[in-house]
Amino acid sequence: MINLLILPIIIPLFTAILLIFLTKYIVLQRWISGLSMIGTISASIILIQTVHTDGIQTLNLGSWPAPFGITLVSDMLSALLVATSSIIAFCCLIYSFRSIGEGREKFYYYSVFQFLLVGINGAFTTGDIFNLFVFFEVMLMSSYVLMVIGGTKIQLRESIKYILVNVISSALFVITVAYLYSVIGSLNMADISRKITEINQPGIVTVIAILFLIVFGLKGAIFPLYFWLPGSYYAPPAPIMALFGALLTKVGVYSILRTYTLFFYHDTGYTHQILMVLAILTILAGIIGAIAYEDIKKIIIYNIIIAVGIITFGISVMTEESLTGSVFYLIHDMLLKAAMFLLIGIIIAITGTSRLSNISGMIKRYPLLGWMFFLASLSLAGIPPFSGFVGKLLLVKSGFAAGHYIGAAVVLMSSLFVLYSVMKIFINGFWGVPKEFPNEGKVPVYMLLAPAGLLIAIGITYGIGAEFVHSYISQAAEVLKNPALYIDAVLKE
Amino acid sequence: MKKNDVILQTVTNVVVFMIFLFSLQVFFSGHYHPGGGFIGGLMTSGAIVLLLLAYDIKTVSKIIPIDYKLLIGIGLFFAVATGAGSLLFNVPFLTHAFSHFDLPILGETSLHTAVLFDTGVYLVVIGVTMTIIQTIGEGE
């Protein structure tokens, strides 16, 4: 079926539309959104297998040939990311059933949830730069609603900041696309790449490259542009926070990855140097935040920033090994960050606070929660049998091999601080003298632990089965390293 | 003292139909002339807004008993289903088809599935505009 690669976009879209009619019937909404999510996951897994056996899949929407219509392109990277984000969205959805509350559920929560997935899957799949903008907006508008839904004071305040920053960055995105279009005269990504090669990346294209870095840096929270993230992600409830933390910034990182490997790879001495400096500073800024705070939400939020820095460092090194490492780490981080947010969501639900000094001795009554948090922490820091290890190993190795000693050393060091920051939560929160917590017994702990457990299980399988996964990841990195493969698949030359 | 809006209301009764007809004209001419679903929908909701100005929200919702939030859903469904219809014929998503038909009164007419897509846009625009205006109007 030639429309296979659009199914992960169409299925949630139809579901979102259907759920508009069913806002009053909560149980029905849950069933429909759950089942459709399973459909999306199956479609994306079939897609991965198809890409693995038959190479890059393309679909010219409306049957218009490649540079003239909108082309959807599914190479291994986007297929993997679509599958990962669908799985994460499924887990967050299951978690929402028992935690989000009836008021929100009756107010189009599940519908908007599906629209968010449409935007994310679309942004990963599209092969057209303006269509990428449109899917960004689909994603962002759903995220505005999810951020403000419920209407508590902190949500209102933070969503104003969040919307303001994103409106500005979207305007900058449009301006940048306009510059690119006036220089190149095309919007199809493969065609743009071919034409930039023809004119051999003059200075103006390098300027556009930096503008794209600013735009996607604002979306993906790299060093001087991450200022909005800690406050905004602090506001919404746990499942939404998990969804944002795991997926939204990663779409920005994916866009940097795509544009810097497909468009702007001719003058790497300048653009990728800047990217590397920013990546290192991003890691440092994240580390400072992660060890400074005594608030468990803030600690995990700053861990997002560290991960963004690590992945962009891999992009800036631009060898096949470092790109493999980046992709490997990207998928690992999406899975584990979501799990981490879901776990601290449970902790906050039980204790009613996110201040670390008010929590202690939870391991006595919640051993499963404690040990799962422990596993997730080790995995996040990259302790060998778990999933964070392989990606970081490849990144550090390729960094040293390419002579970027400072960057590689910072990546290596960051593990230590990540481990310190999450162990701080574990040691202070789970060990020590048990305290009385206000919501004890009222929280359906096992129901909420199931989706987090699923994510951690997938994460651990991903780490232990690295040999098996590697064949897929290296296929993704191969396309990133040789843009000709992508261009040939789209333009059919 | 109660205001008397008899002039406004009488003029509105006439003008609303003109605006509505013009919006339909703009909507259907979209393929060959300036116009289309977006401007058509906006103008139709303009007609309804004029009604809202002349009368109050309760009266207007009695005249046009539509839940505009559902209209958004219906419109989206139209647009996406038109695109997804091509899945049944195993051609790429959003592939449109058109043909010439000999209709009884209109004579030879070309009908294009893009009109169905545009109908979706039209309904969504009306739905969104009216939902925004009504919720702000009803909000305290």
Side-chain angles (χ1 to χ4, degrees):
Chain A
M1 183 165 144
I2 53 172
N3 282 300
L4 175 64
L5 73 165
I6 205 172
L7 284 183
I9 307 173
I10 287 290
I11 296 173
L13 182 54
F14 259 120
T15 317
I17 294 168
L18 187 62
L19 292 179
I20 292 177
F21 298 102
L22 302 172
T23 43
K24 289 200 188 78
Y25 312 101
I26 294 175
V27 179
L28 199 59
Q29 283 200 68
R30 287 178 186 166
W31 275 100
I32 290 175
S33 47
L35 288 176
S36 95
M37 211 65 104
I38 291 172
T40 314
I41 294 172
S42 341
S44 57
I45 287 171
I46 296 170
L47 181 60
I48 290 180
Q49 274 311 325
T50 316
V51 175
H52 192 56
T53 49
D54 304 344
I56 301 173
Q57 301 288 307
T58 64
L59 175 70
N60 295 319
L61 291 189
S63 307
W64 301 103
F68 306 112
I70 291 173
T71 312
L72 295 185
V73 188
S74 222
D75 61 348
M76 187 46 91
L77 174 63
S78 56
L80 283 172
L81 290 177
V82 165
T84 315
S85 42
S86 306
I87 290 169
I88 290 169
F90 178 68
C91 291
C92 293
L93 187 81
I94 303 285
Y95 189 95
S96 308
F97 290 168
R98 282 307 187 86
S99 71
I100 201 73
E102 212 172 86
R104 290 191 172 96
E105 282 178 311
K106 276 190 176 163
F107 220 84
Y108 301 96
Y109 173 75
Y110 293 118
S111 186
V112 178
F113 196 101
Q114 300 282 344
F115 273 121
L116 186 78
L117 192 62
V118 173
I120 290 167
N121 283 352
F124 285 144
T125 314
T126 186
D128 181 287
I129 196 78
F130 197 77
N131 202 232
L132 178 67
F133 168 76
V134 174
F135 276 122
F136 256 106
E137 287 304 300
V138 172
M139 175 185 94
L140 287 172
M141 281 186 202
S142 324
S143 74
Y144 301 155
V145 179
L146 285 182
M147 184 160 280
V148 82
I149 194 168
T152 58
K153 197 171 172 188
I154 179 172
Q155 282 180 300
L156 292 173
R157 188 183 68 218
E158 294 303 334
S159 58
I160 286 178
K161 293 182 200 164
Y162 180 70
I163 291 172
L164 198 64
V165 167
N166 277 302
V167 166
I168 291 169
S169 75
S170 296
L172 201 56
F173 195 171
V174 176
I175 293 168
T176 312
V177 171
Y179 280 144
L180 187 67
Y181 186 64
S182 65
V183 174
I184 303 296
S186 178
L187 291 172
N188 183 296
M189 302 222 265
D191 199 35
I192 292 172
S193 172
R194 197 185 56 178
K195 285 181 172 156
I196 289 178
T197 311
E198 273 169 18
I199 56 175
N200 201 19
Q201 193 166 343
I204 183 75
V205 177
T206 306
V207 173
I208 293 168
I210 297 299
L211 277 172
F212 268 126
L213 184 61
I214 295 172
V215 171
F216 296 138
L218 263 169
K219 314 266 189 203
I222 62 172
F223 166 60
L225 308 167
Y226 71 92
F227 55 87
W228 55 272
L229 186 133
S232 301
Y233 282 15
Y234 194 82
I240 302 174
M241 198 161 62
L243 205 59
F244 285 10
L247 301 180
L248 292 197
T249 51
K250 304 306 183 293
V251 181
V253 173
Y254 163 80
S255 307
I256 294 177
L257 184 55
R258 186 61 86 197
T259 47
Y260 271 60
T261 54
L262 186 60
F263 296 172
F264 312 114
Y265 58 91
H266 305 281
D267 187 15
T268 52
Y270 186 72
T271 49
H272 289 60
Q273 199 74 49
I274 288 182
L275 189 62
M276 182 173 297
V277 173
L278 291 182
I280 293 169
L281 289 174
T282 311
I283 299 175
L284 293 178
I287 287 174
I288 293 171
I291 56 178
Y293 279 97
E294 283 291 318
D295 184 308
I296 52 179
K297 273 201 237 176
K298 279 271 196 271
I299 293 173
I300 308 296
I301 286 171
Y302 275 98
N303 269 306
I304 301 176
I305 298 172
I306 300 177
V308 167
I310 292 173
I311 298 161
T312 41
F313 173 74
I315 301 169
S316 70
V317 174
M318 265 296 258
T319 59
E320 189 152 347
E321 198 177 29
S322 78
L323 290 171
T324 315
S326 269
V327 176
F328 213 105
Y329 197 79
L330 178 60
I331 293 170
H332 143 80
D333 187 66
M334 288 165 82
L335 291 168
L336 263 297
K337 232 12 96 55
M340 212 61 172
F341 273 114
L342 295 181
L343 288 175
I344 63 164
I346 301 172
I347 298 176
I348 293 169
I350 294 169
T351 60
T353 174
S354 62
R355 285 185 61 83
L356 205 47
S357 51
N358 296 348
I359 309 168
S360 80
M362 287 188 76
I363 198 94
K364 264 271 189 293
R365 255 159 289 162
Y366 303 99
L368 190 58
L369 174 63
W371 294 117
M372 268 164 69
F373 188 86
F374 184 69
L375 277 182
S377 308
L378 291 187
S379 193
L380 202 63
I383 306 293
F386 300 115
S387 57
F389 174 67
V390 185
K392 220 173 245 179
L393 176 72
L394 287 169
L395 284 173
V396 170
K397 207 172 128 199
S398 62
F400 280 125
H404 302 297
Y405 298 110
I406 300 174
V410 169
V411 170
L412 205 55
M413 236 180 39
S414 72
S415 296
L416 208 59
F417 290 101
V418 169
L419 188 64
Y420 169 72
S421 67
V422 284
M423 275 304 143
K424 194 167 68 180
I425 301 179
F426 182 72
I427 290 172
N428 290 329
F430 286 95
W431 291 356
V433 187
K435 279 187 182 171
E436 287 297 317
F437 300 119
N439 297 330
E440 217 162 314
K442 286 181 224 155
V443 182
V445 179
Y446 291 102
M447 290 297 293
L448 298 182
L449 270 177
L454 181 61
L455 282 175
I456 293 173
I458 294 172
I460 288 175
T461 326
Y462 181 72
I464 293 172
E467 190 65 39
F468 173 73
V469 179
H470 190 266
S471 67
Y472 291 84
I473 306 274
S474 59
Q475 196 185 349
E478 194 188 345
V479 177
L480 294 175
K481 193 58 197 150
N482 307 314
L485 294 175
Y486 186 97
I487 299 169
D488 290 347
V490 176
L491 300 176
K492 306 256 171 11
E493 280 167 352
Chain B
M1 194 185 91
K2 201 175 170 298
K3 256 189 333 193
N4 197 337
D5 293 336
V6 71
I7 296 178
L8 177 63
Q9 291 181 349
T10 316
V11 173
T12 300
N13 292 350
V14 180
V15 169
V16 158
F17 285 102
M18 289 187 205
I19 300 176
F20 184 63
L21 284 176
F22 185 47
S23 75
L24 281 185
Q25 146 79 19
V26 168
F27 170 66
F28 279 113
S29 68
H31 202 72
Y32 296 106
H33 303 282
F38 184 76
I39 180 97
L42 217 49
M43 217 179 275
T44 305
S45 31
I48 304 173
V49 170
L50 184 61
L51 276 178
L52 279 175
L53 286 177
Y55 300 92
D56 57 301
I57 289 183
K58 253 188 197 157
T59 322
V60 175
S61 60
K62 207 176 281 172
I63 300 170
I64 312 169
I66 298 174
D67 184 353
Y68 292 104
K69 292 196 279 299
L70 294 187
L71 204 61
I72 301 174
I74 294 167
L76 276 174
F77 183 78
F78 252 93
V80 180
T82 312
S86 53
L87 262 66
L88 300 177
F89 303 97
N90 206 25
V91 288
F93 183 74
L94 276 179
T95 303
H96 288 286
F98 78 100
S99 186
H100 294 272
F101 293 98
D102 243 341
L103 295 180
I105 302 166
L106 299 167
E108 196 192 324
T109 324
S110 72
L111 293 180
H112 199 301
T113 50
V115 177
L116 290 175
F117 186 86
D118 234 15
T119 312
V121 176
Y122 179 78
L123 294 177
V124 170
V125 171
I126 297 176
V128 169
T129 321
M130 294 318 297
T131 308
I132 292 172
I133 288 170
Q134 268 193 350
T135 22
I136 294 175
E138 283 167 351
E140 300 277 302

